Amino acid sequence: FKIHEPSTVSEAVDMLAHYGDRATVYAGGTELLLIMKEGLVHYPHLVNIKTIPKLNQISLEADANRLRIGTLVTHRQLEKAKIVREHIPLLSEAAAWIGNLRVRIVGTIGGNLCFADPHSDPATLLLACGASLELSGVDCTRTVSVDKFFVGLLETAKEEHEVLTGVTVPTQTLGTVGSYMRFCVHERPTATVAAILHLKDGFIDSARIALGSVGPTPVRITRAEELLQGERPNDELYVAAAKCAPDATDAVDDIYGSVEYKRHLAQVLTYRGLVRALRKRGGGNGVGES
């Protein structure tokens, strides 16, 4: 294969449009190079976006209400960056669980999301956070919510000629609590649950709960979100919300477990995630591994 090194996003987009399905974006390469070595895919042309300046930066936007993460930001950067720890601490803490140290140093947030591995840690958490993705194409730049980005197994809403340039995540505001739970036997998790709750006057004003790693794509547990909204936090409420998790999942049988096992894990992790998140009203870590 041939590696192309564009100096701008527009140049990268033009290369992808020119070579079509014979080309793909090369960033960290932790996923791409592995499947190429296995002979599962072959691209005669790799467009190396690591040569494009400023795609590895993290910055605050909109009066500190959003954090913009460049597509080339590595998992290690997310884990260690002060700006992430201060404004979205859960994202920093969860990044420390991804793969191993070598993967975190090389792997990028953009590569992880575009590969759409069903066992992606960032995908579940960003779905709960209400993040959005910036995609640059030939004619325009568009924004897609994480809710609509993952459309199937290893499949996203990104067009062949588009480049993911950044991820925008709402920052944590006063009254917001969250947790990220994962069950892991292999290097990749069997099940993950992320919960982001906003509390007001002792009640749950809003809730976003995401379930991942059990099916082809991460999903929202919308029935649980509806049950929680407007209620005062209590254990009975957590149990009822957690019972909604098995029905929300599109679990599949694989080497990580059976459908029944994953449905069980979804319920257990949802309950534990809600307990952990709401305990943070008094401080504490919101990330856990069972």
Side-chain angles (χ1 to χ4, degrees):
F1 55 83
K2 181 178 181 180
I3 296 181
H4 303 269
E5 298 189 335
S7 57
T8 65
V9 172
S10 296
E11 194 176 334
V13 168
D14 289 341
M15 289 177 178
L16 292 171
H18 176 73
Y19 292 111
D21 59 9
R22 295 180 298 148
T24 192
V25 171
Y26 171 57
T30 53
E31 304 280 10
L32 175 63
L33 296 182
L34 179 62
I35 61 173
M36 288 182 70
K37 286 179 181 178
E38 294 293 329
L40 299 176
V41 297
H42 175 64
Y43 295 103
H45 301 276
L46 299 183
V47 179
N48 179 18
I49 62 171
K50 289 184 287 187
T51 56
I52 302 175
K54 299 182 179 181
L55 291 184
N56 63 344
Q57 296 182 356
I58 306 172
S59 58
L60 281 174
E61 294 185 341
D63 297 324
N65 289 326
R66 297 195 303 267
L67 193 68
R68 189 182 188 282
I69 304 167
T71 192
L72 292 180
V73 169
T74 65
H75 305 305
R76 187 65 168 171
Q77 280 180 266
L78 289 175
E79 178 187 352
K80 294 295 184 180
K82 182 179 178 181
I83 191 172
V84 179
R85 289 181 173 182
E86 289 179 347
H87 295 280
I88 314 178
L90 193 61
L91 182 59
S92 175
E93 294 158 7
W97 289 106
I98 297 173
N100 53 52
L101 182 58
R102 183 192 66 81
V103 168
R104 292 196 295 275
I105 290 173
V106 177
T108 63
I109 185 68
N112 182 286
L113 296 176
C114 289
F115 189 70
D117 186 303
H119 300 278
S120 164
D121 285 280
T124 305
L125 181 53
L126 291 174
L127 177 57
C129 288
S132 59
L133 310 180
E134 181 183 279
L135 298 168
S136 294
V138 174
D139 299 318
C140 65
T141 295
R142 63 188 179 112
T143 301
V144 178
S145 68
V146 174
D147 299 71
K148 298 180 180 179
F149 185 69
F150 301 102
V151 297
L153 179 63
L154 304 178
E155 186 180 1
T156 72
K158 186 178 78 68
E159 301 292 341
E160 284 185 350
H161 65 275
E162 288 183 318
V163 174
L164 172 62
T165 52
V167 182
T168 302
V169 192
T171 54
Q172 183 172 316
T173 58
L174 185 65
T176 300
V177 294
S179 67
Y180 180 67
M181 303 296 298
R182 69 201 302 266
F183 180 84
C184 193
V185 175
H186 306 279
E187 187 171 275
R188 299 172 193 267
T190 303
T192 55
V193 171
I196 304 294
L197 310 170
H198 184 71
L199 306 176
K200 185 177 181 180
D201 299 327
F203 292 86
I204 300 172
D205 187 54
S206 64
R208 287 179 66 96
I209 307 174
L211 169 65
S213 299
V214 296
T217 64
V219 295
R220 295 264 300 280
I221 311 177
T222 53
R223 179 59 183 143
E225 296 172 353
E226 293 167 358
L227 276 177
L228 292 166
Q229 188 169 357
E231 299 293 332
R232 187 179 292 276
N234 63 78
D235 193 72
E236 186 177 324
L237 180 65
Y238 310 155
V239 171
K243 287 181 179 178
C244 301
D247 292 334
T249 178
D250 50 355
V252 295
D253 290 302
D254 57 21
I255 63 170
Y256 296 90
S258 65
V259 169
E260 292 75 16
Y261 181 55
K262 291 179 179 180
R263 285 167 58 87
H264 170 70
L265 284 177
Q267 181 170 336
V268 170
L269 293 184
T270 300
Y271 171 76
R272 292 182 182 178
L274 291 172
V275 171
R276 184 179 291 269
L278 289 157
R279 278 179 181 168
K280 291 182 72 177
R281 286 176 293 174
N285 191 308
V287 178
E289 184 169 37
S290 300

